[in-house]
């Protein structure tokens, strides 16, 4: 295994848009284990899980790919989840209402991530996230 943790690896995975996407994505996050603090990986895994679930439910049909990109650096992890959905959306700063369905996935991701941004276009939606490293020793 490569011993230089300062090298920022980059990973891309095209996930099937269906029920297996989330468990595959959660497992795939662990390719970053060598370069990332375990506490950060837990947050990244939950963020990715929520974003991929959202992409599968709202953004892609079963014939389309949900694209997961991730990279690690000493400063932390960055990534994105892209779907081919035609519905555009934006992030809200409001807390989801408990008596109404929906809205919690992006709220959870936004709470855990240091940054979370949505890029919508006719080609689909991409949600970008960063998680700053807690281990700066």
């Amino acid at each position: 295994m490569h011993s230089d943790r300062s090298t920022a690896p980059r990973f891309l995975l095209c996930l099937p848009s269906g029920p297996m996407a989330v468990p595959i994505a959660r497992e795939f996050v662990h390719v970053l284990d060598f370069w990332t603090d375990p506490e950060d990986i837990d947050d990244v895994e939950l963020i990715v899980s929520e974003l991929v679930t959202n992409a599968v439910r709202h953004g892609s049909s079963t014939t389309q790919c949900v694209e997961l990109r991730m990279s690690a650096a000493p400063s932390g992890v960055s990534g994105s989840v892209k779907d081919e959905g035609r519905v555009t959306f934006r992030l809200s700063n409001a807390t989801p209402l408990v008596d109404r369905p929906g809205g919690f996935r992006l709220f959870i991701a936004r709470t855990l991530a240091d940054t979370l941004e949505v890029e919508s276009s006719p080609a689909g939606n991409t949600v970008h996230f960063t998680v700053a490293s807690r281990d700066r020793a």
Side-chain angles (χ1 to χ4, degrees):
M1 180 171 277
H2 194 271
S3 62
D4 183 5
R5 292 178 188 239
S6 65
T7 304
R10 295 176 185 209
F11 300 94
L12 167 65
L13 180 65
C14 182
L15 296 159
S17 183
M20 291 306 299
V22 175
I24 292 169
R26 289 176 68 93
E27 195 62 34
F28 186 68
V29 166
H30 292 281
V31 301
L32 299 176
D33 283 351
F34 179 75
W35 295 275
T36 309
D37 183 87
E39 289 181 34
D40 296 335
I41 283 292
D42 290 343
D43 287 349
V44 172
E45 184 177 349
L46 187 51
I47 291 165
V48 165
S49 176
E50 298 302 320
L51 296 180
V52 169
T53 299
N54 207 52
V56 169
R57 288 192 74 196
H58 303 293
S60 296
S61 73
T62 56
T63 61
Q64 295 171 326
C65 169
V66 173
E67 185 179 281
L68 172 59
R69 291 180 182 268
M70 296 184 301
S71 65
S75 59
V77 174
S78 62
S80 64
V81 174
K82 180 180 180 185
D83 64 57
E84 297 173 357
R86 301 295 184 244
V87 176
T88 58
F89 65 95
R90 62 181 179 85
L91 292 175
S92 169
N93 289 326
T95 302
L97 300 173
V98 294
D99 61 341
R100 292 190 182 164
F104 286 97
R105 285 182 192 83
L106 289 176
F107 176 76
I108 291 168
R110 189 180 71 232
T111 301
L112 291 173
D114 289 289
T115 64
L116 192 75
E117 299 174 355
V118 175
E119 181 183 326
S120 291
S121 74
N125 298 297
T126 304
V127 182
H128 303 276
F129 67 89
T130 60
V131 175
S133 176
R134 296 179 206 176
D135 181 26
R136 303 205 177 173

